[in-house]
Amino acid sequence: MSAHRMTGGAGRATVATPILHVDMDAFYASVEVIKDESLAGRPVIVGGQGGRGVVTSASYEARAFGVSSAMPMVRARRLCPHAIYLPNDFAAYTDFSIRIREVFTAFSPLVEPLSLDEAFLDVGGSVRLFGPPPEIAGQIRRRIAGLGLRCTVGVASNKFLAKLASTLAKPDGLLVVPPDGIEEFLLPLPVRALWGVGEQTAESLRRLGLKTVEDLVRIPRRTLERAVGDALGAHLFALARGIDDRPVRPGEPAKSVGSEETYTYDLDSDADVLREVLRLSDRTAGRLRAKGLCGRTVTLKIRWANFTTITRAKTLPSAIDATQDINDAARALYLKLNPQRPRIRLLGVSVASLGPGPPPGQLDLLGGSRNVRRDAASAVDSIRARFGDDAVGPAALLDRSD
Amino acid sequence: MKFRCERDDLLEAVQFATRAISNRATLPVLSGLRIEAGGNGTVGVAATDLELTMETAFQAGIDEPGKVVVPGRLFGEIARSLGSGGVTLASGDAEVEIESGRGQFRVKVLSPEDYPALPVEDDAVAGHRARVTVDGAALATALSQVIRSASPDESRQVLTGVVWELEESRLTLAATDSYRLSVATLDVEGELGEGVKVIVPARALQELGRALQGAPGAVKVLVRENLVTFFLSNGDEGSGRAESVITSRFIEGEFPNYKRLLPEGYPNILSVDREALLGVVKRVGLLAQNNLPVKLSLGDELEVSAHTPDVGEGQETIEASYEGEPFVIAFNPQFLHDGASAIRSDQVTMEAGDGLKPAIFKGDDPAGFTYLLMPVRLS
C-alpha cells in the first residue's frame, strides 16, 4: 500500500478515505436509452434474445417489476411483458466505457477497472488538485451525468469498504465511510455483506449463531478460523474490522480478448459445437475491433461435461481481427481434437499475442479474400453500432425457428 | 531372403527410403521399410505413406532372394549404429537377423502381405502422359527457389503443392501461398504429350531436392494419370547404389491461374545489389515485429525502415538505381528476404506499380525465375 495513505508522506496531507468505487447504474440499459431517447422513463431490458438468454442489464423502471441482472430472459418477460427488450450491443457499451474511463483518469492515474462499468480509484494523490475525496466523487458523478449516465460512488479508506458503500448507496448515490464511522457502517450488516462470504460460509457461521458483522467481531480469531478454515477465517477477521490492504492496481493492457459461454444443456454434436464456435469467434472479433486490437494466437477452451477443462492454441503467421479468420483457426483446433462423443459444458474462444489493430494488411494475390474480409468487418461493426449485435452476423448463426 | 552387403550402402539406402515414412502412419505396416533382394544382385529398399513413395537399391551378394518388411525407425537406428564393414541380413519366420562383426540382432518383422503394392517402377509402363529428362542441378535450383512459396496451411490443399507445367520443351514450376508467387522455368527434353499441368506436394519435392544434392545427374520425370515419378541416377560409378526413385501422388484440385497474376511490367524499376538488400532487410527487419512490415522508400537511394510500437525502430539506406516516381511500398520482411535470396545473381530488380500492387522481383536471367510479392497495406 502506498505510504502516504498510512502515514502521510512528506509534503502530502494524510487522506483518510482515498479509495473510490464507482459503479454505473443499469449501465447497458442506460446506454440504450442514450442511443434511443424515446426509451427514457420506460422499462428497458438488455440481454441475450435466444431461448436461453439471460438479462445483462435492466433499467430501474424494469427493476421495479422484480427484473434483475442474470435472470433468465424468459422469466423477465413474464414479470415485465411490456418492457422494451434489446440485444447486447457491446461495441456501444465499450465505447461508453472508454469515455467513462477518461473521466476517471482525469482525476487520478490510479484507476483499476473491474469491468466495463465499474472501477476502483485511488485519489490520495489528487486532493491538492481536486479537493477531498468526497468532493472528487461528486465531480465524477457530475461528469458522468454529462455523458447522460448515472453512477453510484462509495468513498472509504480501502477497496472493501468503498465497494460495500457503493452497493448500499445504489442507485444514483454517494456514500462516504469516514474512519470513525466504520463500525457504525459495518457492524449491523449481515455476514453475507463481507467479501468472500457465500451461501456455504454464511451457513457455517449461522450454525454458530453468527449472523451479523458485529457477531463476528465479538468472537476470538481462533474460533472464526476453526469455523471456516484458517485462510478464510483470517480474511473475515480483518474485513469485519474494516481492514483491507489491497492496493488499487492500474489496469494492465489486455493480454487476450475473448468470449466464453456455459451452456444450460451440454453441446453434444459437432454441428452444435461448430455453430457456437462461430458465434464466440464473431463476438471475440467484435470485441477485438472495439478495443482497436488484433492478435496472432487463437485459443479454444473446452470444459467437458465431467468438468475437465482443456485449451488448445494456434499461432498464425499474421495478426487477425475478423470473425472468419478467428473462426477458421478455432474450428480447426476443435476438429483436430476430433472428439468421438462430445459433451461440452463450456466453450471459449480468445485471441492473444495482441498488437494494435487493424492488422497491417498483408494483401492477397488471389482475389484478395482477406482484404474483402477486412472491409466486411468494418461494415458489420457499423451496422451493429446502429442496430444492435444481432442485426447482422454469419448466416450459420441464424436460428431456424426465427 | 539372405544377402551380404556393405554397411555404408545399406545405411545410405535405408536413410533415403525412411524419409517417406510418416510420423503419423495411418496403418501400422506403413511404419515399415520394405527390403527386397532380387535375383539380379541388387537389394531394393522402399517406404511409403501412400502419398509419397521412396525407393532405392544397392548391390549385394544375394544368397537367397526374397522380401521382408522391417520396422523402419528401429532398423534405421541399427544400420546407423553398426560399424563400417560387411553386414549379413537373413529373414526367418517372423524375424530378420542382422549380423555385423560380432554383433547380432533379431528384429520382429511386419507382414509383407499387408504391405501396399508400390507404384509400378517400370518407366516404360504404358499410359503415361509425359516422359522427360531434366538437368538435376538446374532442377535442384528451381526447386529451392519455388518450394518456399508453397503454403504450410493444410486448409488450402492446392496451395501446399507446386504446380508442374510442361509445355513446348519448357518445364515451369510455380507455387504460391497467396501472398507471394514463385515461378521458375527450365529446359526439358523428351515426350511432352499434350502438355501437362499437375500439382505435386511440396513435401515430395523437398525430398527430391534433398536427394538431388547428392546426385545432380540427369533426372527422368514420368508423369502418369495421378502420379509423378522421378528417377535419379546415383552418379558415382564406384558406389554400390543403383537408381533412386521418388513417386508422389498429385494434389487434386484447381491451382490458381498464376500466369494471369503476373503483371506485364511497371514503370517504376529499382535495381540493387542483392547482398546489400538481403543485409538491410535482415537488420531493419529486426524492428518489424508482430507481423509489421518493412517500408521501402523508393528513390535515388533505397531507404528501408521499420517501426514496432513499444519496441523501437530501425532505418538504413543503401545504394540503388531507380527509374520512376518516388513512393513507399511495404513488405513482410521474411517474404522480401525469401524472394531476394532465391534470386541467383548479383543484382536484383524490383518493378512496382504502387503500394497496393504486387511487385515483381527478378535477377539477371528474367526468363529463369520470377518472384511476385504482394505488399502490406499500411494502416
Side-chain angles (χ1 to χ4, degrees), chain A residues 88-386:
Chain A
N88 294 308
D89 177 1
F90 288 105
Y93 311 148
T94 307
D95 180 32
F96 274 92
S97 180
I98 291 166
R99 297 194 218 176
I100 292 162
R101 211 156 293 165
E102 283 167 3
V103 173
F104 299 160
T105 49
F107 290 96
S108 170
L110 295 176
V111 177
E112 179 179 338
L114 298 178
S115 65
L116 284 182
D117 63 343
E118 196 184 346
F120 283 118
L121 281 71
D122 183 340
V123 297
S126 314
V127 293
R128 294 218 171 154
L129 278 172
F130 300 107
E135 208 153 289
I136 293 175
Q139 291 177 48
I140 287 175
R141 278 166 44 74
R142 279 193 292 282
R143 292 272 293 269
I144 300 250
L147 296 174
L149 294 165
R150 291 188 306 183
C151 65
T152 300
V153 186
V155 184
S157 55
N158 60 43
K159 284 163 101 173
F160 161 63
L161 292 170
K163 174 145 183 161
L164 201 51
S166 73
T167 308
L168 295 176
K170 268 190 160 301
D172 199 17
L174 168 63
L175 182 59
V176 182
V177 184
D180 57 3
I182 294 176
E183 286 192 0
E184 187 190 338
F185 171 70
L186 209 49
L187 296 184
L189 295 175
V191 292
R192 279 300 291 270
L194 299 183
W195 163 51
V197 177
E199 215 160 296
Q200 243 180 331
T201 307
E203 178 56 26
S204 311
L205 295 172
R206 200 193 54 77
R207 270 190 254 118
L208 298 175
L210 306 171
K211 289 177 193 156
T212 64
V213 175
E214 186 166 14
D215 296 337
L216 288 192
V217 173
R218 285 170 194 278
I219 62 165
R221 180 174 177 145
R222 262 322 289 161
T223 314
L224 193 55
E225 287 174 355
R226 268 198 300 275
V228 297
D230 285 357
L232 186 56
H235 170 78
L236 296 183
F237 183 84
L239 290 188
R241 286 158 182 78
I243 299 167
D244 171 22
D245 56 10
R246 291 171 300 158
V248 171
R249 295 177 198 279
E252 281 154 24
K255 291 227 164 54
S256 75
V257 171
S259 174
E260 59 181 54
E261 195 151 329
T262 304
Y263 298 96
T264 318
Y265 302 101
D266 293 342
L267 302 175
D268 60 3
S269 77
D270 286 347
D272 285 355
V273 175
L274 292 176
R275 196 193 56 235
E276 290 304 315
V277 165
L278 175 58
R279 185 192 308 282
L280 295 168
S281 299
D282 189 42
R283 206 182 288 164
T284 299
R287 288 180 186 174
L288 270 177
R289 294 194 297 261
K291 289 173 190 282
L293 297 170
C294 59
R296 291 176 59 202
T297 303
V298 176
T299 301
L300 177 71
K301 175 176 168 186
I302 295 178
R303 181 166 300 143
W304 305 103
N306 66 7
F307 279 89
T308 55
T309 304
I310 60 165
T311 59
R312 293 290 182 274
K314 179 176 179 167
T315 298
L316 305 163
S318 58
I320 55 173
D321 69 356
T323 298
Q324 199 54 49
D325 294 330
I326 297 170
N327 185 56
D328 285 351
R331 184 186 164 91
L333 288 168
Y334 175 75
L335 292 175
K336 203 169 167 192
L337 286 170
N338 191 23
Q340 290 312 302
R341 304 191 54 163
R343 291 196 55 200
I344 291 176
R345 277 186 67 79
L346 173 147
L347 273 179
V349 172
S350 62
V351 175
S353 321
L354 299 174
Q362 169 66 58
L363 299 166
D364 199 311
L365 273 168
L366 308 174
S369 65
R370 257 155 238 276
N371 318 336
V372 172
R373 281 178 190 177
R374 171 89 244 135
D375 297 342
S378 335
V380 165
D381 289 343
S382 55
I383 293 171
R384 285 181 178 163
R386 288 187 61 192

Side-chain angles (χ1 to χ4, degrees), chain B residues 44-261:
Chain B
V45 181
T48 184
D49 67 356
L50 300 179
E51 294 291 321
L52 170 67
T53 302
M54 297 181 69
E55 311 165 67
T56 188
F58 59 91
Q59 315 266 307
I62 294 171
D63 296 332
E64 193 187 317
K67 99 180 142 178
V68 66
V69 179
V70 298
R73 300 257 179 260
L74 176 60
F75 192 83
E77 295 291 330
I78 293 172
R80 192 164 54 178
S81 61
L82 295 176
S84 283
V87 180
T88 305
L89 238 84
S91 62
D93 282 343
E95 289 175 339
V96 64
E97 190 178 295
I98 306 147
E99 261 188 65
S100 166
R102 296 168 69 183
Q104 223 177 41
F105 303 85
R106 282 171 197 280
V107 175
K108 295 264 184 283
V109 296
L110 303 164
S111 160
E113 289 79 48
D114 292 346
Y115 205 77
L118 296 179
V120 187
E121 293 162 32
D122 179 4
D123 72 341
V125 66
H128 63 260
R129 294 159 64 184
R131 185 164 57 175
V132 297
T133 304
V134 193
D135 176 62
L139 180 58
T141 301
L143 288 173
S144 71
Q145 288 172 319
V146 167
I147 287 176
R148 71 183 93 195
S149 285
S151 171
D153 183 357
E154 293 289 331
S155 64
R156 290 168 96 183
Q157 269 280 324
V158 291
L159 300 189
T160 65
V162 174
V163 78
W164 286 58
E165 201 164 1
L166 281 164
E167 243 174 9
E168 297 167 11
S169 299
R170 303 287 284 169
L171 166 63
T172 305
L173 304 182
T176 178
D177 57 9
S178 88
Y179 305 124
R180 63 260 178 81
L181 167 71
S182 292
V183 183
T185 305
L186 55 169
D187 294 319
V188 294
E189 286 172 16
E191 306 165 35
L192 296 167
E194 294 167 6
V196 164
K197 187 181 181 186
V198 296
I199 309 167
V200 184
R203 179 177 167 227
L205 298 177
Q206 268 153 5
E207 296 305 338
L208 176 61
R210 192 191 301 266
L212 283 170
Q213 283 171 7
V219 179
K220 282 187 282 177
V221 182
L222 179 70
V223 181
R224 278 173 279 173
E225 197 45 45
N226 54 356
L227 296 168
V228 60
T229 304
F230 305 98
F231 299 88
L232 286 75
S233 51
N234 286 315
D236 299 355
E237 285 298 317
S239 87
R241 297 276 306 286
E243 200 173 54
S244 294
V245 183
I246 296 175
T247 301
S248 174
R249 287 191 177 279
F250 301 145
I251 295 174
E252 303 289 330
E254 191 69 26
F255 197 82
N257 184 348
Y258 65 89
K259 285 178 188 154
R260 230 173 40 199
L261 298 174

